[in-house]
Structures are given as C-alpha cells and as structure tokens.
Amino acid sequence: MSISRIAETIHASPTLALNEKAAMLRENGDPVIHLGGGEPKSKSPVDAILATTALLNSGEVRYTPADGVPALKKAVIRYTEEFYHRLVAPENVMASGGAKQAIMVALQTVLNPQEEVIYPAPYWVSYPDMTRLCGAVGVAVLPKDETFQPRLKDIESRVGSRTKAVIINSPNNPSGAMYSEEFIGDIVRFCEKRDLYLIMDDIYHRLVFDGKKWPNPFEYTTKPIDESKLIVVNGVSKQYAMTGFRIGWAVGARKLIDVMTNIQGHQTSGPSVVLQMAAVGAINGVQSCVESLRVTLENNRNVMLALLNTFEGVKVAKPDGTFYCFANFERYEKSSQKLAQFLIDKVQVLTVPGAEFGADGYLRLSFCGTIKEIQEGIQRIKWALDPNSPNELYIGNRKLVRDWT
Ligand SMILES: Cc1ncc(COP(=O)(O)O)c(C=O)c1O
C-alpha cells in the first residue's frame, strides 16, 4: 500500500498505545498497575457536567464558529487575565480539540517544510511527530544535568537559518521540572530578539508543588500581543481532570489566530459545542477542584519519591509539578524500552520508556493514580529488579516466582 512519505515517518502515540494495552490486560483479568497514564483520576467538575447537560437538554446541538463559541472565548479571556495578567481580545483566542490540536495547528500555521523547531529534551512525545507532520524538522536540546533545566546557551547554539520556532513545556512532561523564572524570561526575550515563534505549552501550569510560583511568559514580552510571536497553549485536560472532553486553546496575535482558525476550520471545524460548554462550566465554576487535585498530586509525588529513593542506584529529581517522576534506571538496564517491556511481562506494571521522550535509560512513572497503585506498582518494580528480593511475590492470590537474576 502506498502512503505518503510524511505519513511513513509518523509513529503511534506511545502513551495512547499504553492506555490501550492496560485496558486490554485488565479485560483479560490481569492485575495490571498502570504507572504510564497521563490523566488525573478525579471526577469532572460538577460545573462542567451541569453546563453540558443543560445544553444537551436543550436539544440544540449545532456547529460552532471554527475558533470556538463566544462563551468559551470569554472564559479564556478571563482566565488569561487572571493567570497571565494580560488582557486579550476574542480575536486572540482559538479553542481547539485539546491542547494537542492547538499545538498542531500552531505548528501547521508557522512552519514551512524543512524548517526547524527547537524543544528541550526530555520532551512531550508528540512534538517530534507533530513537527514531522508539517514536513519540518525537530531539534531536541539535551539538558546539562538531571535537574532537566534547559540552558539558553544550549538552545542558542542550535539556532540556525532554518529555525522557526521554539516549544517550551514547563512544568514539563515527562520530567516534572518547572523551568526557572530566569530561563523563561531569557527564552521570551531571546525569541523576540531573533524573531522566532515561541509556543508555551502551559498545560500543567496550575499543578505545581511546594508553594513554588509558576513563571508567566507574558511578564517578559515587550511587544503588544498582536505584534508578538508568543503563542500560549492551555486546556482543561489536566487541571480539571477533563482529558476526555478534549478542549484546549491557543492565545496569540490575531493575524496568527486568524490563519490557525482557517486551518482548523478545514480540519475539524470548531470543537464539539457540548464539550466547549463543559469547558466554560469548568473555567467559570468553583475552582476548589483544581486545588484539591494539586494537593492530592503533591502528596502522591511525595509517596512515589520516597519509594523510589529506597532503590539502590536509581536517580530521580524531585518533580516541581505535573504528575510524573522521571527516574534514571540505567543501573538496572540501559535500554528503557527493554526495561519497560520486562516490567510488563514480569510484574504487569506499565511505565513509559524514557526513549519516547528523548532520554533513554529513564522510565516515566505517573503518580496520578491512587496511593495504593503507586505503592504496589513501585513495590513490584523493586521486587523484579532487586536481586536480593525474596523468591516469591503474591499479587492477590497469584504467586510470582523469580526465575531471572
Ligand atoms: C505536555 C503536554 N502538552 C499537551 C498535552 C495535550 O493535552 P490535551 O489533552 O489538552 O490535548 C499533553 C497531554 O498529555 C501534555 O502532556
């Protein structure tokens, strides 16, 4: 079968594939523990549900403008004012089918084939494939050390005549690192000076721990929004635990948002009105659910970190936010793919290999599940890897016997 050269380079999303694998194993009755997930387990906010059901009850479920319904734009404008201290106009906002679509459409809007996009590693799994979908080239910049803080000079050294954009995701998936105020200021100023687009993927910006302050990129722009190449992306998936609603948005210069809207209009039209209204409900509703999720995640992080620190030779930086620990398991196995497969096969714990994020030797371990899942998952990993483990492990009434060294 002949498919396009671009399509040939695109891989399946490894994290979505893992979700399917977990569901399949569970269906078979296997006692799987999914530490590979990327979604909080709390319930959708009641205000989101009420807004959704109100619309459904009206029976008037229609197309929306390609850039979103006015009520959602208004909610995003208020959100931008509250969290970014920047007043934007409806023409600066486009609602999308998740932050994922907002980023994809932004890349399609700014990239020509062969142009380059720079992003720090470890990076979110979708950036390389999204870039390839545009016929463009992704350039991953490795961090200097395991704090995973990128350095401006490393990014600067990779900027060439083909560089068009930089993507920054902080707090970062998979490392959990929140980039320093200094770095965010520097990268905003640098991109302005070099006339580069800067896509800020802020999807985890309210899930930050230890009382730390998340750096706001708008504080460092010198240009009015309509002359700026800063594009801020956000969404309801993580902060409101609304991954299945698929609503995200982009905020940027109106000329850019105009073109993004044209592209999205041909791709999917506006996102489902039902889901847009749910997002309006969440953004305008009672916000205690976000804080309660944040506190739960901070506690889960502490539990996972304490357990990981009992492993001999596993190195893990304390995540500042998100719901991931990115742990270096090289002492046990250099290939993260092999290690992740071993853990599924032997103890049925799902993890994401670091290689998917541009950092082999690591595993991404999610702490968005329950404390029980975290404890049992890490305990099983330890049993599988530690040669001094007892010979047997019981999972429920299943007995596992170590037949490896
Ligand atoms: C860094 C990052 N950006 C964007 C997304 C996509 O979010 P959404 O569900 O809004 O498409 C994710 C989801 O895993 C993510 O981790």
Side-chain angles (χ1 to χ4, degrees):
M1 197 193 314
S2 164
I3 56 168
S4 82
R5 277 195 293 279
I6 286 187
E8 265 175 358
T9 66
I10 306 302
H11 311 99
S13 163
T15 41
L16 293 185
L18 269 180
N19 288 344
E20 276 167 37
K21 177 143 197 159
M24 210 179 70
L25 288 170
R26 280 192 184 123
E27 214 158 276
N28 288 343
D30 288 328
V32 60
I33 295 207
H34 191 5
L35 297 183
E39 51 189 348
K41 296 294 183 298
S42 40
K43 295 239 188 242
S44 310
V46 67
D47 293 307
I49 303 298
L50 290 176
T52 313
T53 44
L55 179 72
L56 285 173
N57 284 334
S58 78
E60 300 272 345
V61 182
R62 313 282 181 221
Y63 286 133
T64 77
D67 53 349
V69 292
L72 180 51
K73 286 185 164 229
K74 221 167 144 185
V76 171
I77 290 168
R78 203 191 46 68
Y79 186 98
T80 308
E81 225 182 325
E82 180 176 348
F83 294 103
Y84 293 87
H85 315 133
R86 185 58 61 121
L87 184 60
V88 298
E91 295 78 14
N92 296 119
V93 177
M94 184 185 84
S96 275
K100 196 176 236 177
Q101 189 180 22
I103 298 167
M104 185 68 233
V105 175
L107 291 174
Q108 289 175 314
T109 302
V110 305
L111 291 174
N112 290 302
Q114 307 306 324
E115 287 181 334
E116 293 180 356
V117 184
I118 296 178
Y119 35 79
Y123 45 74
W124 182 42
V125 288
S126 288
Y127 299 149
D129 284 297
M130 286 174 161
T131 307
R132 279 193 283 271
L133 269 173
C134 299
V137 179
V139 178
V141 175
L142 293 168
K144 148 181 132 294
D145 57 32
E146 304 214 353
T147 62
F148 303 113
Q149 291 289 332
R151 294 187 303 182
L152 183 65
K153 66 175 183 185
D154 296 333
I155 291 180
E156 190 171 8
S157 72
R158 305 298 295 274
V159 173
S161 57
R162 292 187 172 174
T163 309
K164 194 66 169 288
V166 175
I167 309 177
I168 296 295
N169 167 226
S170 165
N172 174 264
N173 174 5
S175 70
M178 184 166 68
Y179 301 162
S180 69
E181 186 92 42
E182 187 191 354
F183 173 78
I184 296 296
D186 284 350
I187 195 74
V188 171
R189 286 186 287 264
F190 175 76
C191 289
E192 274 191 0
K193 196 168 99 201
R194 301 292 285 266
D195 202 28
L196 300 172
Y197 285 97
L198 174 59
I199 300 175
M200 294 295 303
D201 179 349
D202 283 354
I203 192 88
Y204 296 98
H205 81 135
R206 288 172 81 190
L207 302 178
V208 171
F209 313 136
D210 307 317
K212 290 196 174 166
K213 185 178 165 281
W214 152 85
N216 168 12
F218 275 118
E219 269 174 31
Y220 302 98
T221 48
T222 56
K223 297 188 175 181
I225 185 150
D226 287 325
E227 289 164 33
S228 168
K229 287 188 167 177
L230 176 62
I231 307 166
V232 172
V233 173
N234 223 314
V236 296
S237 283
K238 313 290 178 175
Q239 55 181 320
Y240 296 108
M242 286 173 64
T243 46
F245 285 80
R246 311 304 310 124
I247 296 293
W249 59 85
V251 174
R254 61 183 81 195
K255 258 190 178 159
L256 188 94
I257 294 291
D258 232 24
V259 184
M260 284 176 64
T261 303
N262 290 343
I263 293 177
Q264 185 166 281
H266 291 293
Q267 275 180 348
T268 52
S269 305
S272 159
V273 65
V274 179
L275 310 178
Q276 289 190 60
M277 291 320 291
V280 173
I283 299 168
N284 291 344
V286 176
Q287 298 298 294
S288 53
C289 56
V290 183
E291 179 57 9
S292 135
L293 172 62
R294 196 198 65 72
V295 169
T296 302
L297 292 174
E298 182 164 345
N299 185 43
N300 288 5
R301 178 211 53 182
N302 294 344
V303 170
M304 181 174 272
L305 207 57
L307 291 169
L308 286 173
N309 282 331
T310 65
F311 281 67
E312 210 171 294
V314 166
K315 286 183 269 175
V316 56
K318 189 178 187 180
D320 302 309
T322 73
F323 31 79
Y324 312 110
C325 276
F326 202 52
N328 186 325
F329 278 89
E330 265 174 331
R331 182 183 178 282
Y332 294 95
E333 168 61 63
K334 287 208 174 344
S335 160
S336 55
Q337 308 269 13
K338 268 196 199 160
L339 182 58
Q341 192 58 51
F342 171 81
L343 294 174
I344 294 173
D345 292 344
K346 299 298 185 193
V347 286
Q348 293 181 339
V349 177
L350 295 188
T351 60
V352 193
E356 306 287 2
F357 309 95
D360 209 1
Y362 291 80
L363 292 179
R364 190 192 76 176
L365 304 162
S366 302
F367 50 84
C368 53
T370 61
I371 294 281
K372 189 167 176 288
E373 281 171 320
I374 294 168
Q375 285 173 329
E376 186 164 348
I378 303 291
Q379 186 201 1
R380 286 193 207 173
I381 295 176
K382 194 158 186 201
W383 180 76
L385 295 182
D386 185 350
N388 300 319
S389 298
N391 212 32
E392 294 169 357
L393 177 79
Y394 279 89
I395 301 181
N397 48 14
R398 247 189 231 200
K399 184 168 86 174
L400 301 184
V401 179
R402 271 180 76 100
D403 53 3
W404 59 92
T405 49

